[in-house]
Structure formats: structure tokens, C-alpha cells
Amino acid sequence: MNPKVKEALDKSLALIESSVDPNKTYLEIFGKGGIFTVLAGEIKNIEPQNRAAFGRDLNSAKSQIEQALHIKRSSLVVSRSSGFIDITAPGKKQKIGHLHLVSQAIEEIVGIFTKIGFSLQSYPEVDWDWYAFESLNMPKNHPARDDWETFFVKAPASSRYGNQVLTPHTSNGQVREMERVKTFTPRSPKGEVGPIRMLNIARCYRRQIDVSHTPMFHQFEGLYVDKNVSIPELKGTFDFFTTNFFGPKRVTRLRPHHFRFTEPSFEVDVTCGVCLGKGCRICKSGWLELGGAGMVHPNVLKAGGIDPQKYSGFAFGWGIERTIAMKTELPDIRLFYQNDLRFLEQF
Ligand code: FA5
């Protein structure tokens, strides 16, 4: 090796050996005015016939210096941490989160209903009064609208569809779904439509808050329209859902109720998971209310452009938070939205 290169190499290796800051040492060697940089600049003074050998020596020295710097850096990392690295120790696992329990329930509910032919549709969360109320057989100023304790949106009204609202229930999807299916069903000479098997899951909003009400909550709505749809099919659908979601020991019952958009209308109850229908401190009667249901009112079918003489259907709309609370025996659904990890991590 050229003696000048050898001298620069030895000096550099000595610097690295005593270095506590390899970055600074790197600059002392390879930076502007550094040992190696100055030496490399001398190549122009070497006789032409010796230049190639000088260049080779420079390259060899450079790679020895770089390797020494690399070893120094690694040794400093080790000695600065604990002085010892157990390379056989298992690595630290990253903490992985999981879906919120409402999202988990949505996945489960979709899985159950798709097994029996329902398909998931999605409709606006801010919708016109027409879809949320009027097309559902609730004329303007009808007192039944008060039950929905609606948030109205400050935005221009439509002369055709009225005001905009934060959807207070997923029933706004009913007439929208009839319109969608009518549009996509190829026109037959007899004007056949459907069948419609819609599952609509969405956020809903109402001016309510207590242990069983939150201002924002989720509903899942089913709509089935075809020829000769009957109440036993509605009951069979609820039993299928209940045994799949809550387990084989839980059963449902229908209680007469009133909704403007279904006739007849029902409240659907499921047996309490604690006493299985006997009656206990939690449920009192043995039953817990799941949500509303009924046979689609002829006026709603008409609003969706479907002939009620030819078609019938059933619809239901249940709250997801309350349904989960019934499965897990939660006393207060506001817990879902307090973002307390001690609660959320349990699911
Ligand atoms: C309705 O919203 C009807 N649209 C349901 C329906 C659909 C009936 C189709 C017939 C045919 P109701 O207001 O009862 O009905 O609400 C249904 C369910 O939503 C309730 O049983 C409850 O589970 C849930 N729910 C209602 N308000 C809240 C709230 N503020 N917080 C949490 N869950 C709620």
C-alpha cells in the first residue's frame, strides 16, 4: 500500500478507536478538509503510471475505514443501552386495537341477515323530510312525528321534499329502497318488481339522553317486499335472528303497537338472557324490547311506486346499542360513547 495512504488509514483507524461520536469522526475523515479527502485530492500530483495503483489503495483504505466506523457505531449502541443485547429474547409486541363493539355487532348482524338473502344498502344520514316522515304516512304536523324528537338541519328546504333532517330512524331507507329496486328491476310487461330484501344500517339522531337513549345511535332496518308476504314470515325472520345473535335459548314475541308506516304494527320482545323469560330483577317481566316492526302500510308502498294490491311486505327497525346491551347485560348504553378504554377493552 502507498505509504501516504497507509499513514492516513492508520490515523483514521486510531481516531475511530478513541471516538465517542462516530458522526463527528466521519467528518474528520471524509468531510471537507478531512484526512481522507485531502489525501484523495493528491491523486492529481501522482505520476500517471502510478495513479491506478494509488486509486486502488485509496478504495481499499476507504472501505476499511467505513467498516471500522460501522463496528464503532454498533458497539456504542450496545454499550449505551445495557451493555448487553440478548438477541434470543422475544421482541416487544405492538399493542393492537380492535373494532368498537358497535362495529363488531354490525358485522355480526350483517352476517346473519345475508344468510337469508338480505343485502346491505346505505342511505343518507342527512335526508329530506319526505323520506324520513311524509312518505312513511306521517303528514306534516302529525303528532306522531313528535316521538322521533328530530334534529332539523339549517339548510334550504326543497319544494318537493321539504326540510332536511338528521335521520331519526333508518326507515328513511324504505321508500328509497323501493325506488332503487324499481329502477334496477328490468321492466317486465306485467310491471313486476323485486323482491326487495333490504338491510339498512345507519347512524340515527334524536334529542334524547339517559341510560337507554343516546343522541346518536345505530339502527338496523329490514324491509322485505314480495307477493303474499305474511306475518309468519316476519316472525320466522325474527326467530332466525334471535337464535343466531342471542343463542338458541332466547325466543321472541310480538306485542300489538302503533306505527304510522306499518299496519298491523308490533313491538318485538326477546326473552331476558338472565332469567330466560321467568322474570327477574333486571327485566321484571321476563322480556326485553328489541324494537318496532309490522306489515308495510299500503300508503308507503304507494309512495315507493309499488302497487299494494299486488305486493305486501314487512319491515322492522331495531337499535344496535340496545340489542348489544341485551346480549351483554349492560345497564347504561351511554358507556358506548364515553371512549373509556377500561370499558371498551373488555369486548
Ligand atoms: C322506530 O324508529 C321505527 N322506525 C322502527 C320501525 C321500523 C317500526 C320499521 C316498524 C317498521 P322506535 O322509535 O321505537 O321505532 O325505535 C326503534 C328502536 O331504536 C328502539 O326500540 C331502540 O332500540 C332504538 N332507539 C330509539 N331511540 C334511541 C335512542 N335515543 N338511543 C338508543 N336507541 C334508540
Side-chain angles (χ1 to χ4, degrees), residues 50-65:
N50 294 331
R51 268 186 206 157
F54 189 79
R56 269 194 302 277
D57 289 347
L58 276 178
N59 283 342
S60 154
K62 190 177 179 209
S63 59
Q64 287 182 58
I65 293 167

Side-chain angles (χ1 to χ4, degrees), residues 148 169 171 206 208 213-214 217 219 221 289 291-293 317 319 322:
W148 274 262
H169 55 173
S171 300
R206 293 186 195 179
Q208 303 168 333
H213 295 87
T214 48
F217 60 100
Q219 279 187 348
E221 177 110 0
E289 183 195 310
R322 289 221 211 141

Side-chain angles (χ1 to χ4, degrees), residues 59-106:
N59 283 342
S60 154
K62 190 177 179 209
S63 59
Q64 287 182 58
I65 293 167
E66 281 174 343
Q67 198 184 355
L69 272 167
H70 175 71
I71 292 167
K72 187 70 185 183
R73 281 197 179 99
S74 313
S75 72
L76 285 174
V77 170
V78 174
S79 63
R80 275 176 196 159
S81 51
S82 64
F84 170 72
I85 289 182
D86 179 359
I87 55 162
T88 63
K92 270 192 195 155
K93 267 204 179 143
Q94 286 294 325
K95 210 172 169 191
I96 299 174
H98 62 72
L99 288 180
H100 189 277
L101 70 167
V102 169
S103 304
Q104 291 178 35
I106 290 175

Side-chain angles (χ1 to χ4, degrees), residues 124-136 145 152 155-169 172 176:
E125 219 171 291
V126 178
D127 208 349
W128 300 107
D129 179 294
W130 164 258
Y131 289 109
F133 294 121
E134 203 152 337
S135 67
L136 298 174
R145 288 187 178 209
F152 286 88
S158 148
S159 55
R160 187 159 170 212
Y161 297 114
N163 285 311
Q164 295 180 46
V165 297
L166 294 186
T167 47
H169 55 173
N172 69 314
R176 283 189 174 276

Side-chain angles (χ1 to χ4, degrees), residues 10-286:
D10 290 344
K11 256 194 198 169
S12 301
L13 293 178
L15 269 180
I16 293 167
E17 175 68 30
S18 58
S19 168
V20 285
D21 185 348
N23 291 338
K24 199 172 151 215
T25 310
Y26 178 90
L27 289 176
E28 284 170 6
I29 301 169
F30 294 116
K32 204 175 166 199
I35 302 168
F36 200 86
T37 318
V38 171
L39 181 65
E42 284 197 35
I43 197 159
K44 59 180 183 295
N45 304 324
I46 304 289
E47 300 86 339
Q49 69 275 21
N50 294 331
R51 268 186 206 157
F54 189 79
R56 269 194 302 277
D57 289 347
L58 276 178
N59 283 342
S60 154
K62 190 177 179 209
S63 59
Q64 287 182 58
I65 293 167
E66 281 174 343
Q67 198 184 355
L69 272 167
H70 175 71
I71 292 167
K72 187 70 185 183
R73 281 197 179 99
S74 313
S75 72
L76 285 174
V77 170
V78 174
S79 63
R80 275 176 196 159
S81 51
S82 64
F84 170 72
I85 289 182
D86 179 359
I87 55 162
T88 63
K92 270 192 195 155
K93 267 204 179 143
Q94 286 294 325
K95 210 172 169 191
I96 299 174
H98 62 72
L99 288 180
H100 189 277
L101 70 167
V102 169
S103 304
Q104 291 178 35
I106 290 175
E107 282 194 351
E108 201 180 341
I109 292 165
V110 173
I112 294 171
F113 281 104
T114 46
K115 273 191 202 150
I116 48 173
F118 284 78
S119 69
L120 187 63
Q121 303 300 334
S122 188
Y123 289 113
E125 219 171 291
V126 178
D127 208 349
W128 300 107
D129 179 294
W130 164 258
Y131 289 109
F133 294 121
E134 203 152 337
S135 67
L136 298 174
N137 200 30
M138 286 192 259
K140 279 189 188 61
N141 304 321
H142 193 282
R145 288 187 178 209
D146 297 346
D147 298 343
W148 274 262
E149 300 198 42
T150 311
F151 288 103
F152 286 88
V153 176
K154 254 193 196 166
S158 148
S159 55
R160 187 159 170 212
Y161 297 114
N163 285 311
Q164 295 180 46
V165 297
L166 294 186
T167 47
H169 55 173
T170 41
S171 300
N172 69 314
Q174 289 191 19
V175 166
R176 283 189 174 276
E177 176 69 358
M178 292 175 201
E179 288 171 349
R180 185 189 73 83
V181 172
K182 267 181 68 79
T183 310
F184 290 107
T185 305
R187 286 192 190 285
S188 73
K190 291 183 199 153
E192 308 280 310
V193 280
I196 294 174
R197 290 191 208 93
M198 172 201 79
L199 183 66
N200 175 25
I201 302 187
R203 278 185 279 263
C204 302
Y205 303 86
R206 293 186 195 179
R207 297 153 63 94
Q208 303 168 333
I209 187 155
D210 60 36
V211 291
S212 55
H213 295 87
T214 48
M216 187 286 295
F217 60 100
H218 296 74
Q219 279 187 348
F220 59 110
E221 177 110 0
L223 175 70
Y224 178 38
V225 178
D226 203 352
K227 286 183 178 147
N228 305 316
V229 176
S230 64
I231 294 175
E233 280 166 286
L234 166 148
K235 178 71 166 68
T237 305
F238 299 165
D239 289 342
F240 180 80
F241 171 73
T242 302
T243 45
N244 278 277
F245 189 80
F246 293 108
K249 292 189 180 145
R250 313 277 289 270
V251 294
T252 57
R253 74 172 181 191
L254 305 180
R255 263 185 301 113
H257 194 70
H258 177 73
F259 291 105
R260 288 281 303 179
F261 35 93
T262 45
E263 182 57 42
S265 301
F266 310 101
E267 286 278 345
V268 186
D269 294 337
V270 60
T271 41
C272 164
V274 176
C275 65
L276 296 177
K278 290 191 194 83
C280 67
R281 200 173 43 85
I282 293 174
C283 65
K284 313 266 182 321
S285 66

